[in-house]
Amino acid sequence: MSGQIYDVWLSLGSNLGNRYENLMGGVAFLLANGLAFRNCSGIYETEPVGYTDQPPFYNMAVHCSTSLEPLELLEVCRQAEREYKRERNLRWGPRTLDVDILLIGDLTINLPDLTVPHPRMGERAFVLGPLGEMGISLLAKWGLPWIHEGIVLKIPAADVKMNIAGE
Ligand code: X6L
Ligand code: MG
Ligand code: MG
């Protein structure tokens, strides 16, 4: 019996190096490792939150489908970060690539390494702004406000040159 296919929504961020190339490379890595592209938001330049003394981020949301199970998906997201030489020195500090799982279908997951829906997504404009582009119904379903403080659309989705073949 084959496993099910999940719709997943991810949040990507970068604030070190070539932020655009890091995001595009991150998505290409995901698509080469078990995820299929469905849709993406534009890329927003966003003020850093949590730890504010760091460069502005590029953030975007990506919608994919996958037959990976949730913990396999988490491992692929971590591999993508490793591929981009992310170093975890400072909590909430600058990073070349961050890949966070927001939603996996309508699953609720509470494991030590993985909480879905992402527990703080509803508080973060840099997550909600991009996610809102993927369909207002998605936000309404989760009862989330669509706030745009501290975020500016830099590259509209139509101009995001994504290699959806994952090559
Ligand atoms: C009080 C305490 C208020 C902590 C907020 C918020 C901490 C977000 C961490 C917080 C708090 C985070 C990004 C970022 C980070 C990003 C932008 C985090 C983890 N990641 N800022 N800050 N984009 N704009 O992707 O999300 S650190
Ligand atoms: Mg994050
Ligand atoms: Mg993360």
Side-chain angles (χ1 to χ4, degrees):
M1 183 170 125
S2 67
Q4 80 181 94
I5 294 181
Y6 301 97
D7 270 288
V8 302
W9 286 264
L10 307 175
S11 170
L12 280 76
S14 173
N15 74 339
L16 284 181
N18 186 321
R19 298 173 294 174
Y20 181 76
E21 293 300 329
N22 292 343
L23 293 179
M24 292 304 96
V27 173
F29 183 92
L30 297 171
L31 300 182
N33 288 279
L35 286 83
F37 181 83
R38 297 284 303 275
N39 194 12
C40 71
S41 72
I43 295 174
Y44 291 73
E45 190 166 50
T46 69
E47 293 171 10
V49 300
Y51 176 72
T52 56
D53 187 19
Q54 60 177 322
F57 281 78
Y58 270 12
N59 284 112
M60 72 184 304
V62 179
H63 173 197
C64 293
S65 55
T66 187
S67 57
L68 296 174
E69 292 300 327
L71 287 176
E72 295 175 323
L73 174 65
L74 177 64
E75 187 49 37
V76 169
C77 293
R78 289 179 170 169
Q79 282 170 0
E81 294 176 350
R82 249 179 266 133
E83 184 84 3
Y84 280 83
K85 309 210 167 22
R86 171 163 177 187
E87 293 177 4
R88 291 174 179 269
N89 298 323
L90 191 66
R91 190 179 183 214
W92 302 339
R95 67 282 303 267
T96 47
L97 182 64
D98 182 34
V99 183
D100 292 336
I101 299 171
L102 302 175
L103 302 169
I104 303 177
D106 50 18
L107 291 185
T108 300
I109 300 172
N110 284 294
L111 293 170
D113 281 358
L114 182 61
T115 307
V116 174
H118 192 293
R120 290 168 299 280
M121 61 185 271
E123 302 156 12
R124 297 175 180 174
F126 69 78
V127 174
L128 295 183
L131 194 61
E133 278 190 41
M134 323 292 280
I136 194 72
S137 63
L138 190 66
L139 291 192
K141 178 178 172 186
W142 291 95
L144 304 175
W146 186 0
I147 48 176
H148 270 122
E149 285 166 19
I151 72 171
V152 173
L153 181 63
K154 276 286 196 185
I155 306 172
D159 297 334
V160 174
K161 298 291 185 279
M162 183 93 67
N163 179 359
I164 64 171
E167 286 154 7

